[in-house]
């Protein structure tokens, strides 16, 4: 499903090159639930950005569902990112001028070209425990954990086959965090592939496999 | 040191009023180390913003070091916020166009009116485990946890008497999080008052007292 072959990601900075990923080789099968752990700055977000096709390797190859991302035409890359992959960002990346509801609806509009009439945005927001007036708040009118949950609902909007989660419970109390993990476990049970970065051993234990990264290298 | 008397903070929204704080009465003594816990959306950040004088009560009174914040002239309010209080924000609020170094130096420049020549910014960044080339990266060239640590270093720049921390280890692995808690414990040992919001029982256990908030009311 997801394969990295000796992937390097190097940032060229004035003070010297930063090897965010320094030769990562990794295989993730369809329907796997993988947790990625490692120290702050070790390369977890960089790895997830590669898998999510938001960034390309400096060297090495990345295959998503058997296709080498270097050889994908732009249109196919866009479809992959919009339909096959759902991304929950470490810093949420919600659109500031849209409400929670509109933020979740947005990927649906991108896909179908029209506003949503299925009720899916409200349903997803209810699933992550956000309902009532809050769905019409903009991000800056929501708490940190409420924003995180909007980001989670948005990632699920187009029912992606692959879910990439960058510290999805980092701003949540343990009870709300558990509710989110129940959702992820359920989605994995439906056959979705999940790659989740987390700093919590407790959260990582929901995965079938834990990968540790250190200084851009898988341990 | 910090006293709230029946503080309410009400947001008037189209869908109805949101009682972010619904009558909070609380006393925190000089040199106390208090943890604030509660579900996502329960009012923790709102409470911290009140104590940090970034926001005012809708009703009720707030006293910082014996002074009622309603009666403070603007200049004294500014001094309090700049010199007496250090704030580590849940979403970091780093200045995007400045480097990590410049972000930490900024409060020093605000205070003295001149660029820093004491070496304090570099020293604080080293204290939180950020050194070498990284201190010249801008926030978007840093990992989530590195940004969080820059926010911590910045909060300490003017050696504040009161430190307000909104989930200071939320993006950190346990080892780095422990290093931050060692710093906070040390500062508390020097007599600083610390009010820390956290979702982690482990992190909360470093405090002398745990306050739980639910739906804007202290339990
Ligand atoms: N500007 C605003 N306008 C309207 N409602 C707001 C605004 N800011 C916060 N709220 C609401 O006030 C309540 C408390 O928010 P607060 O940010 O204090 O929660 P919190 O306890 O810090 O949550 P978290 O653990 O998720 O960070 C929430 O229901 C939130 O939606
Ligand atoms: N745009 C960039 N330019 C230069 N260096 C970068 C850039 N983005 C990330 N880095 C560096 O690459 C390394 C890996 O960053 P990454 O964000 O992947 O870490 P992480 O494991 O997600 O950390 P955290 O747990 O703190 O979120 C870090 O040293 C970081 O400073
Ligand atoms: Mg990261
Ligand atoms: Mg908060």
């Amino acid at each position: 499903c997801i394969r990295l072959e000796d992937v390097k990601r190097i940032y060229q900075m004035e003070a010297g090159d930063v090897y965010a990923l320094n030769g990562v080789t990794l295989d993730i099968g369809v329907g796997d639930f993988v947790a990625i752990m490692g120290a702050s700055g070790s390369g977890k977000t960089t790895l997830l950005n590669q898998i999510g096709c938001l960034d390309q390797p400096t060297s090495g190859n990345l295959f998503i569902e058997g296709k080498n991302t270097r050889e994908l035409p732009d249109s196919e890359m866009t479809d992959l990112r919009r339909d096959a992959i759902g991304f929950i960002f470490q810093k949420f990346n919600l659109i500031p001028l849209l409400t929670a509801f509109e933020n979740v609806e947005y990927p649906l509009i991108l896909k179908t070209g029209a506003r949503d009439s299925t009720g899916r945005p409200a349903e997803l927001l209810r699933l992550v425990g956000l309902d009532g007036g809050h769905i019409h708040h903009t991000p800056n009118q929501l708490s940190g954990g409420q924003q995180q949950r909007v980001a989670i609902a948005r990632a699920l909007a187009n029912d992606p086959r692959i879910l990439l989660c960058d510290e999805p419970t980092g701003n949540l109390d343990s009870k709300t965090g558990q509710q989110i993990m129940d959702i992820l476990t359920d989605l994995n049970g439906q056959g979705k592939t999940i790659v989740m970065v987390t700093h919590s051993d407790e959260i990582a234990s929901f995965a079938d496999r834990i990968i540790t990264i250190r200084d851009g290298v898988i341990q």
Side-chain angles (χ1 to χ4, degrees), chain A:
Chain A
C1 181
I2 295 165
R3 171 172 183 73
L4 283 84
E5 275 177 4
D6 200 31
V7 166
K8 292 187 187 175
R9 179 60 171 101
I10 304 170
Y11 290 103
Q12 292 176 322
M13 311 297 286
E14 282 187 30
D17 289 349
V18 177
Y19 284 73
L21 295 178
N22 196 4
V24 170
T25 295
L26 177 63
D27 272 290
I28 296 171
V30 175
D32 279 5
F33 191 160
V34 174
I36 299 179
M37 301 190 81
S40 171
S42 57
K44 307 178 296 296
T45 293
T46 306
L47 177 56
L48 226 57
N49 286 342
Q50 293 289 322
I51 297 171
C53 304
L54 298 175
D55 187 21
Q56 292 97 40
T58 307
S59 68
N61 290 303
L62 169 69
F63 299 86
I64 304 281
E65 301 181 326
K67 298 173 186 154
N68 187 330
T69 57
R70 276 190 208 288
E71 294 155 20
L72 276 185
D74 276 355
S75 57
E76 247 182 278
M77 188 71 128
T78 301
D79 288 349
L80 200 68
R81 275 200 299 245
R82 195 192 55 206
D83 302 342
I85 298 169
F87 208 126
I88 302 166
F89 297 95
Q90 186 169 7
K91 303 206 73 188
F92 318 153
N93 296 354
L94 297 178
I95 301 170
L97 294 175
L98 299 185
T99 64
F101 182 94
E102 291 164 339
N103 262 284
V104 178
E105 188 189 26
Y106 191 65
L108 295 164
I109 298 177
L110 284 181
K111 177 165 184 158
T112 66
R115 297 220 60 169
D116 175 74
S117 54
T118 64
R120 187 163 171 78
E123 181 191 327
L124 287 169
L125 283 162
R126 204 175 316 123
L127 181 69
V128 296
L130 268 173
D131 49 15
H134 282 99
I135 70 176
H136 301 301
H137 288 210
T138 52
N140 70 333
Q141 296 170 332
L142 292 171
S143 78
Q146 289 168 341
Q147 291 173 35
Q148 185 156 39
R149 286 181 275 156
V150 175
I152 293 167
R154 180 183 61 178
L156 302 180
N158 282 331
D159 198 31
R161 303 190 279 284
I162 296 168
L163 198 48
L164 306 178
C165 323
D166 203 342
E167 300 189 35
T169 62
N171 280 279
L172 302 175
D173 54 280
S174 44
K175 179 156 170 277
T176 312
Q178 179 66 44
Q179 288 164 5
I180 295 307
M181 293 317 294
D182 288 344
I183 295 169
L184 294 187
T185 304
D186 186 60
L187 290 167
N188 183 237
Q190 294 172 29
K192 297 190 191 313
T193 308
I194 302 187
V195 185
M196 175 180 74
V197 168
T198 183
H199 281 310
S200 155
D201 295 310
E202 201 172 331
I203 296 297
S205 67
F206 283 83
D208 316 312
R209 189 167 135 219
I210 297 179
I211 290 169
T212 305
I213 183 168
R214 180 184 168 152
D215 296 327
V217 178
I218 304 233
Q219 301 299 290

